[in-house]
Amino acid sequence: MAQVLPSACCHHPQNIYHTPYIEEHFDEIVKESIAVSEKVCKLYDGIVADDRKGVYKFTGDINSTWLYPVYNVFAASSPSKHFYEIYRFISESVKHYITEIVGYYPTCQIWIQAWINVHTHENLLKRHTHKFPFHGYLSIDPKDSTTFFYYNSTGTPSPGKDFRIQNAPGKLYIGPGHQFHEVLCDKVDDYRITLAFNLITSDDSDFNYNMIDGSSFIPLL
């Protein structure tokens, strides 16, 4: 089921979807998410993945977020039946969002760059934005957190126009990639877990194939 959110400064609307599957298989999905994050961190230890972070070194603290340019979580989690179902849910939701909400042609091609966030309280994501046209995240074990979205394109507060999403297991957000946002959470005892992704489509006004990083983007639809 979709829930349309208010329009922001960006050209595209935001939308909320939900699946009960995460709660129904919560413990197993949390366990697999942590295992996938650790697997990815070990596999890509010592590489330059994100220029802002320099050489990525795995020191035992799993943080697969900053390896997002070099892997795709749906490849790393294969052949998990749970991530298969998550992939199917995200695919269906993205298809609805891109065609029914954004209004792109049903025949447009869509690629997804997807990664797993397994964060302690110390490395919760601060205010940031994404360089791709669309961004989304699925809450797996979000703790008692909200994601704060800035209406203003500069990432500065706009009282009455900024908005928050109260995160919950199974809640999926999709919206414009260039909108500033950050995670707000008072306390995380172990890990806050989400699955995040960027989208590009053949109908984007600035689309070109050079936007596709072959090591992290895969065809979605």
Side-chain angles (χ1 to χ4, degrees):
M1 180 175 293
Q3 171 191 344
V4 181
L5 297 173
S7 295
C9 61
C10 309
H11 297 300
H12 301 300
Q14 302 87 37
N15 234 48
I16 293 290
Y17 301 86
H18 180 265
T19 176
Y21 188 85
I22 303 297
E23 290 181 289
E24 292 168 357
H25 304 277
F26 183 79
D27 290 341
E28 291 180 3
I29 293 174
V30 166
K31 183 178 179 180
E32 287 192 9
S33 297
I34 294 172
V36 168
S37 183
E38 186 172 27
K39 168 187 173 181
V40 167
C41 289
K42 290 179 178 179
L43 182 63
Y44 294 105
D45 180 37
I47 72 162
V48 177
D50 185 301
D51 291 338
R52 293 171 295 176
K53 294 294 180 178
V55 176
Y56 179 90
K57 294 296 293 181
F58 176 55
T59 60
D61 297 323
I62 52 176
N63 189 348
S64 48
T65 298
W66 299 109
L67 290 165
Y68 72 92
V70 297
Y71 80 102
N72 191 290
V73 68
F74 294 114
S77 61
S78 177
S80 163
K81 66 178 182 180
H82 295 313
F83 276 87
Y84 183 94
E85 292 301 325
I86 289 171
Y87 179 81
R88 181 158 60 180
F89 166 65
I90 290 177
S91 297
E92 293 171 351
S93 301
V94 167
K95 180 69 172 180
H96 177 271
Y97 173 78
I98 292 296
T99 59
E100 301 297 328
I101 305 300
V102 177
Y104 284 1
Y105 287 110
T107 55
C108 80
Q109 298 169 309
I110 305 173
W111 291 267
I112 186 170
Q113 177 188 58
W115 62 95
I116 195 80
N117 296 314
V118 178
H119 293 154
T120 63
H121 190 80
E122 289 70 27
N123 54 29
L124 293 176
L125 292 173
K126 306 301 182 183
R127 184 180 61 181
H128 66 287
T129 186
H130 297 254
K131 65 180 180 179
F132 296 101
F134 303 100
H135 168 67
Y137 70 94
L138 172 67
S139 290
I140 294 175
D141 186 8
K143 307 305 184 188
D144 185 15
S145 70
T146 60
T147 301
F148 186 91
F149 288 86
Y150 293 86
Y151 175 87
N152 195 306
S153 60
T154 61
T156 55
S158 300
K161 294 184 177 181
D162 300 328
F163 66 91
R164 300 169 184 246
I165 292 178
Q166 182 65 47
N167 298 311
K171 183 178 284 189
L172 170 66
Y173 163 87
I174 310 176
H178 302 291
Q179 188 167 11
F180 279 92
H181 54 284
E182 64 180 314
V183 175
L184 304 176
C185 188
D186 289 335
K187 186 178 182 181
V188 176
D189 291 325
D190 46 15
Y191 294 117
R192 178 183 183 273
I193 304 172
T194 60
L195 189 155
F197 55 90
N198 292 319
L199 303 168
I200 56 177
T201 86
S202 57
D203 280 16
D204 297 329
S205 59
D206 60 347
F207 173 78
N208 66 77
Y209 282 95
N210 292 328
M211 297 173 67
I212 300 176
D213 178 346
S215 61
S216 60
F217 274 98
I218 62 174
L220 184 71
L221 295 168

